[in-house]
Amino acid sequence: MYDIFSILLGLGLTIGLLLLGLHIAIAIGFGGILLLVLVEGFGSLNAIGFILWGSLNSATLSALPLFILMAEIMLKSGVSDSFYDGMSKLVRRIPGGLLQTNIAASALFAAISGSSVATASAIGGVALPRQKADGYDSAMAAGSVAAGGTLGILIPPSIVMIVYSTFTELSVAKLFMAGLLPGIVVTAMFMAYIAIRCAINPTLAPKLHAAKRGDTVRGLREVAPMVGLMLVVLVTIYRGIATPTEAAAIGAFVAAIIAWAIRRPPLRVYVEAIFNSVVTSAAILMIVAAAFIIQYAVESTGLANALTDWVVGLGLSFTFFMLTLFVIFAIMGCFIDAIGLVVLTVPLLLPILQSYGIDLIWFGVITVIVVELSLITPPVGINLFVVDSISKAGLATVIRGVIPYFGIYALLLTMLMIWPSIATWLPSLM
């Protein structure tokens, strides 16, 4: 029989520390250690070293710092600026002008960065000042950047999917491919929404200046390096030429060459990119390590099995169970970041998902989409603050701009429930 008092105390400490604003790794780690001591005594602390080694000694996680380094090189070198200029030349004829560029550039940059915050920051820093000067509607501009940034954890490579695969022991390559088609679909839906809104109300997006001769060729030339880097990473993974870690290493090397060829950045730019990658990777890996501690403690209590028996005993239909999860994830996402949400919930949910016979690759895509929604959930979604800090338009304006994208994501979730093959088709071919 599991000790309900110990569970409530350990999880209560975790939630309390999170609400106090402590780093999520510290909050989860202390909660896990307290729960472990309450259940198995102080002697159980000897197991922490083995837990940490087992959690971080992972070939899957070794890809994470390399993907982050690849994105940092693109950001620090300024290649992302010329990439945005190239995208604006290619999509200028679609109603919405530079608003369409925000989405298209975010989708492609997401395939390099793997991070929603990095995508929103990179694209927003280039796009929002220019669109403000050109007289674009502030809410539409801010909303398109904030929502476009969420594509960073759906379109591969995705940092959140790497973390998810660590807990589910799934192929990270198959998870990457599972997110690709839904990412393309939601990108097209975002662009269609902007085109319809701007066709109905042209004042939202002023007409761009007439295209100059050769703009399309110049645009392709400026976009080609980023697209080439994306293809190098994804094709080598999909074709089985390289593991995700090897593909990440190749991608980081190619990114360094591209940055040197286009911008000739000084050595300090590469040093800053490496330093930022180390800091970001360390923060994420601390969360993962802390999550394994609390997972081990929870398994020791028998809570996971008891929770599975209880949920199955309720006799919930598959649809109602999934809708309940959506609501829980949306609420938790208001207080916990994307990676924290995954590491806290997935280990507990895993036995329940298996009892329902749910495809874990499909559920990984669903989880990422719901986590994406939490990034733009008012009033605490992190992308809202990132975009507000760049645009200076006010948080209320940013929120007003992102609200329509909730409906688009809801439609995507509905499509995935009805046609799961949108997520599972590409992985099934590997």
Side-chain angles (χ1 to χ4, degrees), residues 170-182:
L170 293 172
S171 162
V172 71
K174 288 191 174 184
L175 280 168
F176 280 177
M177 292 304 112
L180 184 58
L181 192 52

Side-chain angles (χ1 to χ4, degrees), residues 171 173 177 232-244 246-247 250 429-430:
S171 162
M177 292 304 112
V232 166
V233 172
L234 295 185
V235 171
T236 53
I237 292 173
Y238 180 78
R239 299 296 300 173
I241 298 170
T243 66
E246 292 165 347
I250 294 168
L429 299 179
M430 294 178 68

